[in-house]
Amino acid sequence: MSDPAASPPFTSSLFGIEPGWIDYNGHLNMGYYTVMFDRAADEAYAEIGFGPDYLARTGCTTYTAEFHIRYLRELRLDDRVHVSFEVLACDEKRFHTFQMMFHRDGWLAATGESLALHVDTTGPRVTPMPAARLAALSRMQRAGGVWPEGAGRAITMRR
């Protein structure tokens, strides 16, 4: 039997890299990792019940308060990736997620960590989310309480 803490509850579709995303070094420009993490989050959000329909129906959405990427291995034009998405923690107004970008051959290319806020756009102001959205987030929460390697890291130059 597999360890539930080792298996994220959501994996995106396979994404390709667009020619305009390649920088002068011949690899994926750093900004486009964010684009792919965002596209994967949109797919996960559909499972949670967030997205354009939620905004139209409730006037609420999510805003990203913080996003941290670790670039672990270069990606190039012909590479294809999928992205895992899991919730590390959540409460009524915010949620902390962790994503892992895997090359189709299985190696880890990057991780993305986010703190998102539930926002009423009429303010805009941070506001509690409905119980059903919080329950959906909780179902995506990492089992066992053990965070994946790399989660919660800060940028520092050690002396």
Side-chain angles (χ1 to χ4, degrees):
M1 186 166 150
S2 67
D3 174 11
S7 302
F10 180 85
T11 301
S12 74
S13 57
L14 201 59
F15 298 124
I17 294 171
E18 298 180 18
W21 296 357
I22 300 300
D23 64 20
Y24 60 83
N25 294 311
H27 59 236
L28 184 63
N29 178 277
M30 62 187 269
Y32 294 101
Y33 285 82
T34 303
V35 170
M36 290 194 295
F37 281 125
D38 191 50
R39 287 180 178 177
D42 284 346
E43 290 182 10
Y45 276 25
E47 298 283 321
I48 297 165
F50 289 135
D53 294 342
Y54 179 72
L55 173 60
R57 190 174 66 256
T58 67
C60 293
T61 190
T62 63
Y63 286 2
T64 300
E66 185 173 341
F67 197 81
H68 179 189
I69 297 177
R70 291 186 315 141
Y71 306 96
L72 304 173
R73 194 159 163 191
E74 291 179 341
L75 291 170
R76 299 193 179 273
L77 181 59
D78 294 330
D79 291 331
R80 295 184 50 82
V81 301
H82 65 272
V83 179
S84 68
F85 179 97
E86 59 190 306
V87 176
L88 299 180
C90 58
D91 64 24
E92 66 179 3
K93 294 182 179 181
R94 59 202 171 144
F95 52 102
H96 181 176
T97 64
F98 192 77
Q99 296 174 274
M100 293 183 279
M101 185 179 297
F102 292 97
H103 187 274
R104 69 176 157 205
D105 291 341
W107 46 266
L108 183 61
T111 65
E113 189 170 0
S114 175
L115 177 64
L117 307 173
H118 185 260
V119 174
D120 178 340
T121 60
T122 63
R125 67 184 180 284
V126 178
T127 188
M129 66 186 83
R133 298 295 63 78
L134 185 55
L137 284 166
S138 294
R139 284 191 297 275
M140 284 191 165
Q141 194 159 348
R142 178 174 260 268
V146 178
W147 286 9
E149 184 176 338
R153 291 181 53 163
I155 297 172
T156 183
M157 290 180 60
R158 299 180 197 268
R159 293 179 191 219

